[in-house]
Amino acid sequence: MAGVRVTKVDWQRPRNGAAHRTEEYPCPELVIRRGQVFSLTLEVSGALDSDENFIFTVETGPRASEAFHTKAEFDTSELQVSDTWTAVKEAQTESTVAVSLSSPPDAAIGRYLLSARASSRRKHSDRKLGEFILLFNPWCPEDDVFLDSEEERQEYVLNDSGVIFRGVEKHIRAQGWNFGQFEEDILTICLAILDRSPSHQAYPATDVCRRCDPVYVTRVISAMVNSNNDRGVVQGQWQGKYGGGTSPLHWSGSVAILQKWFKGRFKPVKYGQCWVFAGVMCTVLRCLGIATRIVSNFNSAHDTDRNLSVDKYVDSFGRTLEDLTEDSMWNFHVWNESWFARPDLGPAYNGWQVLDATPQEESEGVFQCGPASVTAIREGDVHLAHDSPFVFAEVNADYVIWLWHGDESRERVYSDTKKIGRCISTKAVGSDSRVDITGLYKYPEGSRKERQVYGKAVRKLFGADARGKRARARRSAGRALWRDALLEPAPTPSITGKFKALEPPVLGHDLKLALCLANLTARAQRVQVNVSAATILYTRKPVAEILQESHVVRLGPQEEKKIPIVITYSQYKEDLTEDKKILLAAMCLVSKGEKLLVEKDVTLEDFITIKVQGPAVVGVAVVVEVTVVNPLWERVEDCVLMVEGSGLLRGQLSIDVPTLEPQEKASVRFSITPSRSGPRQLQVDLVSAHFADIKGFVVIHVAAAK
């Protein structure tokens, strides 16, 4: 019998795309998920015998080899085993053969070359059929990334838009974000991120081999999304100056960032802050097939000396002394969670894993963080990989404020074991509602269990349970720091105080508050009140002082008094950052040496509304009306609306806004033509050189074309 030759392959893209939930990827290659059957039809020439078998070869990465599990040869005659590549001949005609192939559920993800030959032909006559892309498979029970909920898979893998929660603990705001994992070139870019990593550049064959493991892949991505140790995707900037780049607040999604990095020959994109890093990382991991969500932690600790305490130093007006204060408590911090098993730790630690691409501290010499098991954080198992101590501190550290005296002595004026790690939030499955997941990270604050876990973490970090050279080196210093900072609470003063907003704080308006003081004793007291205010970044780093004033208040027995505080628009307008945040502090010096420090973070409000004028249908134009208000008491020109939304627009839409008179409300109308059905998020950003971006978003339910 003359040898049969494979001449062509039909990749069965519609059928495989639907079965593997990959039909949204616009790649020229077939995209499939590991551990799941996919179908091909081979076209052959020559006399085809019914007993003819076909031999397939798959290979990925440089120097692919069977020893590294990056190459496999298998044929249709072999016994089918679930943990190897397999092939089954389903049907044949005179010139075609239908086959089903399957990869093992732990195959390395990435771009593969597929070759085939008939068994009647000699060994080195394989026909190269082309490339396909293999992804993680959260639908496959044998895959480490398996997620046993279809609703959650739809949300955390397939949803191409989402919500990021920002603001302050008592005023949380939602910002829309376009993940866009199915947009043009995004999958190719995500694979390029892996190929550009230092581990791949140094040891390419080993790196590709390890891409079977979500623990390894996610850790590599957490390093590559920032640019600190490599030519990663995003360059961070927290100084409030964004010359030569884009302000972090201008980004509405990941697509433009990833495309700019790729088209710019891997030059880091300027600039990002925590929510940008988290948004980009969410895009990459969802694109690669790992269920991922965005998490916001309010009052998030950055504990530089790892003593489980955020130590802040202030002067007699409550102003932060930056040269002494190394730790910080951010208004909020945003990271990612991804869902996968942890065979390296044990099944108790499977599930959500913290990953953080924001470059805060080095881990193993690289700015990367995670994966750290959320369960390990909740249980105080800070000895487990990766970076559990840092994440534990972000949600559990104590907050201590020290008054620094002129003689370089210090005095504790405030301590709180419950202030850090508040309102830990993520988007709800199937809606844009906020879900509080604080209970996944720690037991109820102040409960016996929470204190037990805290003590366990301290022992593992500083006590007899600590392991390794670095742990032993930290032990004595750590014990001293911990005893000093945590065991002795700040003295409880005989007065209480809090700032109260008398009117909603609105951008462009004066800020009107009152400092409310109450005497808790039956004796009269004299209080010296030193008030200060500063514009700040969301990391609470001061930018400029805008208020300093002193008052002397006499409080009768059990008396309450209010001290009015006014910060005019002219006082803050020049120094307000794009975060639109102001920190007020009052150091209250009570008779007999008592001290009370009162702080309040204020976020200034803005206004934007978005309305869709009619039903949205694929391929049919629909009008959108956006209403904005000039927040200032001055005329504003050159405002622009930036509009973005996957499945609604190709790229970004830029629309000029007419000149806005002081406090004027104006409406802008434009049309969009949806290209994909289902719930689609439209983001709108009012950009002006005169005030910080004003953002809004709306979810549009797009019907399929009739």
Side-chain angles (χ1 to χ4, degrees):
M1 182 185 72
V4 174
R5 188 165 64 91
V6 178
T7 59
K8 194 177 178 183
V9 63
D10 179 353
W11 293 98
Q12 300 284 333
R13 280 193 177 84
R15 177 182 175 184
N16 289 321
H20 288 250
R21 290 97 174 166
T22 57
E23 64 265 53
E24 296 270 16
Y25 291 100
C27 310
E29 307 97 333
L30 174 68
V31 182
I32 54 174
R33 301 187 188 276
R34 66 185 191 177
Q36 184 174 336
V37 171
F38 60 102
S39 302
L40 303 175
T41 301
L42 304 178
E43 293 185 15
V44 299
S45 63
L48 183 59
D49 191 283
S50 61
D51 295 329
E52 184 80 67
N53 287 313
F54 290 85
I55 301 168
F56 295 90
T57 302
V58 291
E59 49 193 308
T60 182
R63 299 194 297 278
S65 71
E66 293 182 354
F68 273 52
H69 304 288
T70 52
K71 181 178 181 180
E73 188 175 280
F74 53 100
D75 66 52
T76 53
S77 67
E78 294 175 347
L79 183 68
Q80 307 305 304
V81 182
S82 62
D83 61 352
T84 63
W85 285 87
T86 62
V88 175
K89 187 163 62 170
E90 302 287 359
Q92 69 179 58
T93 67
E94 289 185 358
S95 59
T96 63
V97 180
V99 294
S100 295
L101 275 59
S102 181
S103 66
D106 61 351
I109 60 122
R111 185 175 276 105
Y112 279 78
L113 174 65
L114 175 67
S115 304
R117 74 176 190 275
S119 57
S120 58
R121 294 184 66 83
R122 65 182 187 276
K123 187 173 179 63
H124 298 293
S125 60
D126 296 52
R127 168 79 174 187
K128 292 182 179 179
L129 301 177
E131 293 184 336
F132 64 92
I133 295 173
L134 188 68
L135 304 178
F136 291 105
N137 192 353
W139 283 265
C140 174
E142 290 76 34
D143 195 318
D144 278 351
V145 305
F146 174 65
L147 178 59
D148 190 17
S149 165
E150 180 58 25
E151 283 187 338
E152 292 186 353
R153 291 189 295 246
Q154 291 289 327
E155 179 68 54
Y156 299 136
V157 183
L158 300 182
N159 195 349
D160 62 2
S161 64
V163 169
I164 300 174
F165 293 101
R166 302 171 61 242
V168 294
E169 172 197 352
K170 294 183 179 178
H171 191 77
I172 297 172
R173 297 190 66 180
Q175 173 188 336
W177 192 267
N178 176 28
F179 299 122
Q181 66 266 38
F182 303 117
E183 293 297 306
E184 198 74 37
D185 295 329
I186 295 300
L187 178 53
T188 297
I189 296 169
C190 293
L191 295 175
I193 290 173
L194 290 173
D195 289 344
R196 298 297 302 177
S197 71
S199 51
H200 184 79
Q201 298 293 310
Y203 308 104
T206 304
D207 169 72
V208 172
C209 170
R210 297 187 68 185
R211 293 182 189 178
C212 62
D213 180 8
V215 176
Y216 175 78
V217 170
T218 56
R219 190 157 171 79
V220 168
I221 296 297
S222 82
M224 281 300 297
V225 168
N226 71 70
S227 66
N228 284 47
N229 303 101
D230 42 57
R231 288 171 65 83
V233 179
V234 181
Q235 182 174 324
Q237 174 62 277
W238 282 270
Q239 303 304 317
K241 298 175 182 178
Y242 309 114
T246 300
S247 160
L249 279 163
H250 284 192
W251 302 115
S252 297
S254 309
V255 176
I257 295 170
L258 289 166
Q259 290 178 341
K260 186 172 184 179
W261 175 78
F262 190 65
K263 293 173 182 176
R265 298 186 178 182
F266 316 115
K267 184 179 180 180
V269 177
K270 300 176 180 179
Y271 293 102
Q273 291 174 359
C274 66
W275 67 92
V276 178
F277 292 109
V280 171
M281 188 163 183
C282 191
T283 296
V284 175
L285 295 181
R286 286 188 184 184
C287 188
L288 296 178
I290 300 176
T292 303
R293 64 188 184 183
I294 289 184
V295 172
S296 300
N297 177 38
F298 291 86
N299 294 350
S300 188
H302 183 177
D303 179 21
T304 58
D305 52 16
R306 300 182 71 178
N307 69 335
L308 294 184
S309 171
V310 170
D311 298 297
K312 177 179 175 179
Y313 292 85
V314 300
D315 65 10
S316 60
F317 275 78
R319 295 172 294 202
T320 303
L321 298 173
E322 291 187 79
D323 55 336
L324 297 175
T325 302
E326 295 182 353
D327 297 340
S328 57
M329 181 188 73
W330 297 15
N331 286 142
F332 67 93
H333 180 48
V334 185
W335 59 68
N336 299 100
E337 287 177 357
S338 291
W339 181 278
F340 47 85
R342 292 300 299 268
D344 56 325
L345 306 181
Y349 302 99
N350 293 350
W352 290 116
Q353 314 291 326
V354 173
L355 293 147
D356 192 348
T358 301
Q360 290 181 283
E361 297 291 328
E362 288 189 345
S363 171
E364 299 177 332
V366 176
F367 281 96
Q368 59 190 349
C369 183
S373 163
V374 173
T375 299
I377 303 305
R378 189 183 68 232
E379 301 301 329
D381 293 326
V382 294
H383 60 294
L384 298 177
H386 294 274
D387 308 307
S388 296
F390 185 78
V391 179
F392 185 88
E394 286 184 303
V395 300
N396 278 298
D398 286 358
Y399 184 57
V400 182
I401 300 180
W402 304 87
L403 174 60
W404 188 256
H405 295 290
D407 60 0
E408 296 193 354
S409 65
R410 63 179 187 172
E411 178 184 359
R412 190 193 325 271
V413 293
Y414 180 88
S415 62
D416 193 340
T417 63
K418 302 177 182 179
K419 189 175 183 68
I420 283 172
R422 308 281 296 188
C423 303
I424 303 176
S425 305
T426 193
K427 175 187 176 298
V429 173
S431 81
D432 289 332
S433 302
R434 184 181 72 87
V435 176
D436 192 307
I437 58 171
T438 307
L440 296 182
Y441 281 82
K442 53 187 178 181
Y443 291 95
E445 289 282 11
S447 68
R448 183 179 178 185
K449 182 68 173 176
E450 185 263 340
R451 287 289 95 186
Q452 288 174 343
V453 167
Y454 192 91
K456 176 183 176 182
V458 167
R459 288 193 303 275
K460 289 188 178 295
L461 282 175
F462 308 128
D465 293 355
R467 294 286 182 269
K469 273 186 179 180
R470 292 182 66 187
R472 287 193 296 271
R474 288 199 318 266
R475 192 177 295 161
S476 58
R479 281 181 189 152
L481 282 167
W482 181 70
R483 281 197 303 269
D484 184 37
L486 304 178
L487 291 182
E488 300 175 12
T492 302
S494 58
I495 64 170
T496 63
K498 67 177 181 179
F499 284 107
K500 182 179 180 180
L502 301 179
E503 296 178 359
V506 178
L507 179 64
H509 292 241
D510 294 349
L511 187 58
K512 298 178 181 179
L513 307 100
L515 175 61
C516 306
L517 298 178
N519 184 359
L520 302 179
T521 71
R523 66 180 187 278
Q525 300 211 77
R526 178 183 181 277
V527 185
Q528 168 81 30
V529 181
N530 297 332
V531 180
S532 65
T535 56
I536 59 171
L537 303 173
Y538 80 98
T539 60
R540 295 185 109 215
K541 178 182 173 64
V543 173
E545 185 175 66
I546 56 175
L547 178 73
Q548 177 184 322
E549 59 188 41
S550 296
H551 306 264
V552 175
V553 181
R554 298 187 184 277
L555 292 174
Q558 310 294 330
E559 185 183 11
E560 296 183 8
K561 280 189 177 179
K562 294 181 179 179
I563 303 173
I565 307 291
V566 177
I567 303 174
T568 64
Y569 169 58
S570 61
Q571 283 176 281
Y572 71 75
K573 74 172 187 175
E574 297 298 332
D575 298 305
L576 190 69
T577 72
E578 294 187 331
D579 294 314
K580 293 176 280 196
K581 294 183 185 298
I582 293 172
L583 175 61
L584 289 104
M587 182 68 78
C588 303
L589 309 173
V590 191
S591 50
K592 297 189 177 179
E594 292 181 9
K595 297 174 182 66
L596 171 71
L597 179 65
V598 184
E599 291 185 325
K600 183 178 180 65
D601 295 86
V602 175
T603 303
L604 299 173
E605 293 299 303
D606 48 42
F607 175 88
I608 189 168
T609 61
I610 308 165
K611 293 182 179 179
V612 182
Q613 309 287 312
V617 179
V618 170
V620 179
V622 63
V623 173
V624 177
E625 183 179 67
V626 177
T627 303
V628 297
V629 173
N630 176 7
L632 307 182
W633 292 97
E634 55 193 64
R635 196 167 186 257
V636 174
E637 299 177 350
D638 304 324
C639 290
V640 177
L641 280 183
M642 302 300 297
V643 187
E644 180 177 341
S646 284
L648 298 172
L649 294 162
R650 288 185 63 85
Q652 276 193 330
L653 182 64
S654 176
I655 303 164
D656 291 333
V657 177
T659 297
L660 296 172
E661 298 300 327
Q663 302 289 301
E664 182 186 3
K665 180 184 288 189
S667 293
V668 177
R669 292 163 64 91
F670 57 91
S671 65
I672 59 173
T673 304
S675 58
R676 298 208 296 267
S677 61
R680 299 288 163 193
Q681 188 184 89
L682 186 73
Q683 290 108 14
V684 179
D685 187 2
L686 178 64
V687 179
S688 169
H690 303 279
F691 50 81
D693 284 22
I694 299 176
K695 290 178 173 287
F697 71 94
V698 65
V699 175
I700 302 174
H701 294 273
V702 180
K706 297 177 181 178

